[in-house]
Amino acid sequence: MRASECSDRSAPGNLPLELNAFVGRTAELAQLAEALGQARLVTVTGVGGVGKSRLAARAAAHTRPRDGSWRVELASVRDPNLVAYALVEALALTDQTSRPPRALLLDHLGERQLLLVVDGFEHLVDACAALLGELLRHAPGLRVLAVGRRPLEVEGELRFPLAPLPEREATELFTDRAAARVPGFALDDGNRADVLELCRRLDGIPLAVELAAGRLSALSPGQLLSRLDDRFRLLTGGGRDALPRHQTLRTAIGWSHELCTPEERLLWSRLSVFAGPFDLEAVEYVCSGAGLHADNVLDVLGELLAQSVLAREETAAGLRYRMLDTVRAYGADWLVAAGDASRLRRRHRDWYMGLATWCELDWFSPRQGEVAARVETELPNLRCALEYSLTEPGETHLGQYLAGSLWFYWVGCGRLAEGRHWLERGVELDSDRDQSRLKALWVLGYVAILQGDMVPALTALQECREGAERTDNPTAIAYAEHRTGCLALVGDDMARAETLLRSALDRYHAIGELNSNVLMAQVELAMALAFRGDLPGAVRLCEDVRRVCEDHGERWALAYALYVLAYEAQTAGDPGRARELLEQSLDIGHAFHDLLGTVLAIELLALVTEAEGDPAEAALLQGAAARLWPSVGLPLFGSAYYNVPHERCEAGARRRLGDERYEECVRAGSRLGREAAVARALRRPGPRPLGAVPSPRGLPPDTRKPAVSPTSKGGETTG
């Protein structure tokens, strides 16, 4: 949406004319117009510079009440007793009597139909709320569009929170304002990436975007981007006719800061240690103390929400709060100035270390889906905790432990590459805690195996085994042996795989270990037996895994057990049963975003589909799987055994379709995204959200917070 005029001078009122293009906000304007039709008091709230005043002025210009739209700017009014006088002046009322301004307003507005736009009331909220509440009660034709960083809390108020611009509109705004400064400026291949990243880093805040565009007379978009770490010094120079609070980004944000109480300013600065969304429990732990009692955190947090310093959002893991990066950067400056940044970063790391440990334990429970959603939501903060631990002197062992504790997320929720990044960083560093390093090593070996990167996997596992034997750590020995057996499995050494996996299972039993890793050892042993022709032995192992999963509510390892059972059913000539098992496996794996489990199930479903007499669909599924493999690692691990179903499917489909038609179907499948590929394989439309994992039958939903697993150990935490 673009226009250059907003008000009609033939209608009564005092709305200012727009001097430049109004960009975007089409949906918000329609929603605000609807809100003004529903309520007599609508308050547009949002962080400083987000465009509240501009949006309200444009909406008011389109409202056209009989007696006009009138705007009163209160930013320069400091005395609450002068609010009524400011309204009188804005409405151009004259009165020579001794009547108080409140009475004059009531008399003037009593029979009129008009819209009053009240802007910049944050520092006068009590006085404004009292006056506007009285006017609305006594003037039935009055509507009020209030604009501020917090609501008025008046009865009947409809709140309209305004978010920053989406990427496309922020880019359009930048381009428009840049062209006004640099004639001929346009978005092109040479600057598009920098402009998009610039708008993203500025959170889509219109004021920040406009100030950045104003710098183009001296800097290129790339130079602007490289200097953005010092955004408050860089983004200055608003027009001379702009409101003082809008002339620089610092003063726009600082206006909100000035209106905060000391406790609110303190919490604002401490909240700057969070990245992405965060919950109340994290805030209470990380930010309380030293001037802010834990019992007061909720109330102070509520005030920051009311003042638009924070926003609330619903996530798959529940209610969270979020702070824009620009607002966070302002708070971070205050935290550094207070000399408290190091302490808060450490408390932040400690909280998320505890959360990761908690989630690892709870992974082996009916709450696996909740754990997956929780870690996905908390990932930005977990990354900060990892970065802190791996860069702060003396904290390396905690970074190693944290990276290792998140094994279930790296391998179970489609994050192999990121997991390997953190694990490799961790094991490259020296630490004085062997236990943490050993855990990081076996997890690194596991991740590398799944990616088909065998040499680094073997190196990590050998180092883990040697270190575990040297320090007499039976748990780490068991995990190193288990993953070495897994390496032999995908390396096609089935005899060695069987020996190592049986030994690892014996070690797990001896130390009382039972969790998803132990179940996966059974599944991997079953796969080795199946490849060696012992299908009954493989079925016995996987049926045992199935029973344990049902007892404990485990779903992720169950998906792999179902895969092995489906392999046996297909080999035994029962494609119908194989399909039923594979659809269950794929459903679970996709819900967890487990890319490996997903692509393995699709590969085997392709063979089942070919056996059912649909070679074209089978070839399409092979194409879809081929597109997914690069996101995991080496296709089918480079294993001849794992590749047999693929080769059988391809040979059968080529024979029945011919080479040209087969390749055509494969190409069609390779154009499918993951969601579409899974929907096609399952023969039903519709994506499944993360965390929407089917609950095991017979188990009631558990809404408690994660707790220690009901097993003797609950989960591997010491390896």
Side-chain angles (χ1 to χ4, degrees):
M1 174 175 185
R2 297 172 55 86
S4 58
E5 293 188 3
C6 132
S7 59
D8 180 357
R9 286 302 188 190
S10 64
N14 68 343
L15 296 179
L17 287 171
E18 293 181 337
L19 301 180
N20 53 20
F22 185 90
V23 178
R25 299 295 196 195
T26 304
E28 290 92 334
L29 277 170
Q31 293 162 1
L32 186 52
E34 183 180 353
L36 284 168
Q38 294 174 351
R40 294 178 57 219
L41 170 60
V42 177
T43 303
V44 180
T45 61
V47 71
V50 81
K52 303 182 296 293
S53 299
R54 190 76 184 265
L55 180 75
R58 175 157 281 262
H62 287 282
T63 302
R64 301 183 184 279
R66 185 187 67 198
D67 296 302
S69 297
W70 301 81
R71 179 177 177 271
V72 55
E73 170 58 55
L74 296 176
S76 61
V77 178
R78 294 299 170 187
D79 187 346
N81 296 315
L82 298 181
V83 171
Y85 289 96
L87 266 65
V88 167
E89 182 181 354
L91 290 167
L93 302 182
T94 57
D95 186 81
Q96 304 298 323
T97 71
S98 60
R99 287 190 301 171
R102 188 178 298 255
L104 179 60
L105 289 168
L106 288 170
D107 180 60
H108 176 77
L109 297 172
E111 301 299 327
R112 284 178 168 80
Q113 296 180 8
L114 61 78
L115 175 68
L116 189 61
V117 181
V118 181
D119 199 351
F121 63 80
E122 298 93 341
H123 56 304
L124 302 164
V125 64
D126 292 336
C128 285
L131 176 59
L132 293 175
E134 184 177 1
L135 295 178
L136 286 165
R137 285 192 296 272
H138 292 90
L142 173 66
R143 291 183 182 274
V144 175
L145 179 55
V147 182
R149 306 185 192 197
R150 61 169 302 146
L152 283 163
E153 306 287 354
V154 173
E155 185 178 357
E157 178 183 34
L158 193 156
R159 303 179 188 182
F160 191 92
L162 185 62
L165 289 170
E167 182 180 281
R168 181 185 61 79
E169 293 183 1
T171 304
E172 185 181 354
L173 177 64
F174 182 91
T175 305
D176 180 87
R177 301 303 190 255
R181 285 295 184 110
V182 182
F185 179 88
L187 207 61
D188 57 35
D189 292 341
N191 62 28
R192 181 176 285 104
D194 288 336
V195 171
L196 289 173
E197 179 64 12
L198 192 65
C199 292
R200 186 193 67 78
R201 294 270 307 275
L202 292 173
D203 298 308
I205 297 176
L207 173 63
V209 171
E210 291 187 328
L211 290 172
R215 284 292 191 180
L216 285 187
S217 55
L219 299 170
S220 69
Q223 290 172 318
L224 269 173
L225 189 60
S226 68
R227 294 166 179 254
L228 201 57
D229 285 342
D230 193 8
R231 67 183 71 187
F232 294 114
R233 186 170 64 85
L234 177 68
L235 301 182
T236 62
R240 292 185 179 88
D241 57 345
L243 291 169
R245 68 177 190 271
H246 286 168
Q247 287 178 358
T248 71
L249 186 60
R250 179 178 289 280
T251 53
I253 305 299
W255 175 254
S256 290
H257 196 262
E258 289 177 13
L259 298 176
C260 291
T261 66
E263 277 193 328
E264 290 161 10
R265 293 179 187 178
L266 185 60
L267 182 57
W268 181 344
S269 69
R270 292 177 179 180
L271 289 173
S272 68
V273 299
F274 289 100
F278 48 88
D279 62 13
L280 177 60
E281 289 77 11
V283 175
E284 289 175 330
Y285 176 85
V286 175
C287 299
S288 62
L292 182 60
H293 195 279
D295 292 342
N296 297 335
V297 167
L298 177 57
D299 291 337
V300 179
L301 187 76
E303 284 301 307
L304 292 180
L305 279 166
Q307 296 175 57
S308 303
V309 175
L310 294 176
R312 56 172 284 164
E313 60 182 41
E314 294 291 339
T315 72
L319 176 64
R320 292 294 186 275
Y321 307 103
R322 182 185 289 274
M323 183 181 281
L324 293 176
D325 285 344
T326 302
V327 178
R328 180 183 295 110
Y330 190 92
D333 287 348
W334 281 83
L335 189 64
V336 170
D340 208 17
S342 181
R343 184 181 71 87
L344 264 293
R345 289 185 69 202
R346 184 176 293 106
R347 286 181 67 84
H348 175 274
R349 189 278 315 279
D350 291 347
W351 172 263
Y352 286 99
M353 178 73 74
L355 177 69
T357 303
W358 193 5
C359 287
E360 181 190 21
L361 293 169
D362 226 37
W363 181 252
F364 189 60
S365 80
R367 293 173 293 283
Q368 267 186 332
E370 298 167 32
V371 170
R374 180 77 184 267
V375 177
E376 181 77 12
T377 300
E378 306 289 6
L379 187 56
N381 284 299
L382 288 164
R383 287 170 176 156
C384 283
L386 283 161
E387 187 68 34
Y388 175 83
S389 299
L390 295 176
T391 55
E392 195 72 10
E395 306 289 332
T396 298
H397 66 286
L398 293 175
Q400 294 169 340
Y401 177 83
L402 179 53
S405 294
L406 290 169
W407 67 265
F408 64 92
Y409 184 67
W410 308 138
V411 306
C413 300
R415 294 280 184 173
L416 291 174
E418 179 168 357
R420 186 163 178 181
H421 164 78
W422 293 113
L423 291 159
E424 286 183 335
R425 280 188 60 181
V427 300
E428 286 171 359
L429 301 172
D430 293 327
S431 72
D432 56 356
R433 308 290 178 90
D434 290 324
Q435 186 169 290
S436 296
R437 180 177 176 78
L438 293 175
K439 182 169 188 174
L441 282 167
W442 76 252
V443 178
L444 174 59
Y446 186 12
V447 168
I449 289 168
L450 298 182
Q451 291 181 313
D453 206 352
M454 305 312 175
V455 173
L458 182 59
T459 300
L461 293 172
Q462 284 179 338
E463 186 178 348
C464 179
R465 179 66 179 257
E466 291 167 3
E469 290 176 342
R470 185 178 64 253
T471 58
D472 192 24
N473 188 324
T475 303
I477 292 174
Y479 277 87
E481 190 161 78
H482 170 191
R483 292 306 162 196
T484 306
C486 182
L487 180 61
L489 174 68
V490 299
D492 291 345
D493 189 346
M494 295 305 146
R496 178 169 168 75
E498 182 178 350
T499 299
L500 289 170
L501 289 168
R502 287 192 186 279
S503 176
L505 285 167
D506 289 341
R507 292 182 186 275
Y508 285 143
H509 180 73
I511 61 176
E513 194 83 332
L514 177 61
N515 55 36
S516 300
N517 275 301
V518 176
L519 297 182
M520 285 299 291
Q522 281 191 240
V523 172
E524 289 151 6
L525 175 58
M527 197 78 249
L529 294 180
F531 286 151
R532 300 190 78 185
D534 184 4
L535 293 174
V539 169
R540 284 194 298 273
L541 281 168
C542 287
E543 289 294 354
D544 183 62
V545 170
R546 203 173 186 175
R547 284 191 294 272
V548 175
C549 287
E550 289 173 355
D551 289 343
H552 293 277
E554 214 284 354
R555 307 296 287 166
W556 173 69
L558 174 63
Y560 286 91
L562 293 171
Y563 170 84
V564 178
L565 291 172
Y567 179 91
E568 183 276 335
Q570 175 61 25
T571 304
D574 189 350
R577 172 145 177 79
R579 173 172 293 281
E580 178 186 348
L581 292 163
L582 283 170
E583 287 180 350
Q584 293 177 50
S585 176
L586 178 56
D587 211 22
I588 296 170
H590 182 53
F592 281 120
H593 291 183
D594 182 352
L595 297 182
L596 176 61
T598 296
V599 71
L600 283 174
I602 291 175
E603 285 277 10
L604 195 50
L605 270 169
L607 176 60
V608 171
T609 302
E610 196 277 333
E612 291 173 333
D614 193 346
E617 185 70 10
L620 183 142
L621 291 178
Q622 286 197 312
R627 176 173 174 172
L628 289 174
W629 274 114
S631 298
V632 179
L634 187 63
L636 293 161
F637 315 110
S639 161
Y641 284 93
Y642 275 96
N643 199 45
V644 166
H646 180 92
E647 291 181 340
R648 286 178 54 199
C649 177
E650 179 178 347
R654 282 186 184 276
R655 184 174 61 254
R656 299 166 72 175
L657 294 173
D659 290 344
E660 184 177 348
R661 174 63 176 152
Y662 170 81
E663 297 293 348
E664 180 184 339
C665 292
V666 168
R667 285 193 298 272
S670 69
R671 291 191 289 268
L672 295 178
R674 182 166 58 92
E675 297 288 344
V678 171
R680 188 74 175 243
L682 292 173
R683 297 179 174 176
R684 62 175 184 262
R688 298 286 303 279
L690 178 65
V693 183
S695 299
R697 293 181 182 177
L699 285 172
D702 191 326
T703 57
R704 299 171 298 170
K705 292 181 179 179
V708 175
S709 172
T711 65
S712 60
K713 289 253 182 151
E716 198 282 319
T717 60
T718 59

